[in-house]
Amino acid sequence: MGDAALAAYRAMWGDVVVAARTSDARNSRLDDHAEGGALQLLRHMMRANKQQGVVTKGQPTFAPVVTEAGASTVVIQDCADGSRWLQYTEGGSPKDDVPGGHHRVDATVSKQGGRWLVESLYIGEVGTCVQ
């Protein structure tokens, strides 16, 4: 069960990386592996980026671990590295000169109708964890 939940968590981030390339809050992939508060947060992030006129390029890396596991709910903690996943203006220039960094991520993944979906998600500020 932990492996399936981790796979869903990683797949959710794969969906986010694709949607963030255009800051598309309506990207059909966002709800493939997320629901509830997690899906709302991801869509909010995309809308905020679109309003700021930024897109995200590159690839983050992850190191998730299961901290609690039940029959239908798994809690994951991660230290996501966004140093190679940065924001750019739609014209292609870096948004700012602030490098990315490590973010603490807490997620709850639940089994819904035979599928594992990320239902809650917290993403800390840069520097909230160290790999």
Side-chain angles (χ1 to χ4, degrees):
M1 93 187 78
D3 289 343
L6 284 169
Y9 172 81
R10 287 183 181 280
M12 177 208 68
W13 279 112
D15 299 337
V16 171
V17 167
V18 170
R21 290 178 189 150
T22 58
S23 297
D24 182 5
R26 294 178 185 243
N27 187 296
S28 62
R29 289 182 60 169
L30 287 177
D31 65 0
D32 286 355
H33 300 97
E35 69 171 2
L39 180 58
Q40 290 176 8
L41 174 62
L42 297 174
R43 286 190 171 146
H44 170 76
M45 289 167 45
M46 297 302 139
R47 282 191 301 272
N49 288 349
K50 183 66 99 178
Q51 288 175 346
Q52 294 174 28
V54 297
V55 296
T56 308
K57 298 179 182 182
Q59 183 69 42
T61 57
F62 303 96
V65 294
V66 172
T67 59
E68 295 178 38
S72 61
T73 303
V74 172
V75 177
I76 294 172
Q77 187 175 45
D78 196 355
C79 185
D81 180 359
S83 61
R84 292 190 174 103
W85 193 48
L86 303 174
Q87 292 184 328
Y88 293 82
T89 66
E90 291 173 340
S93 301
K95 175 186 171 191
D96 52 36
D97 61 355
V98 178
H102 293 87
H103 303 258
R104 178 178 171 152
V105 180
D106 295 301
T108 302
V109 185
S110 297
K111 193 170 187 180
Q112 306 287 333
R115 292 185 341 140
W116 288 92
L117 299 168
V118 178
E119 68 176 12
S120 70
L121 186 66
Y122 166 80
I123 305 168
E125 296 292 322
V126 170
T128 50
C129 67
V130 177
Q131 279 187 321

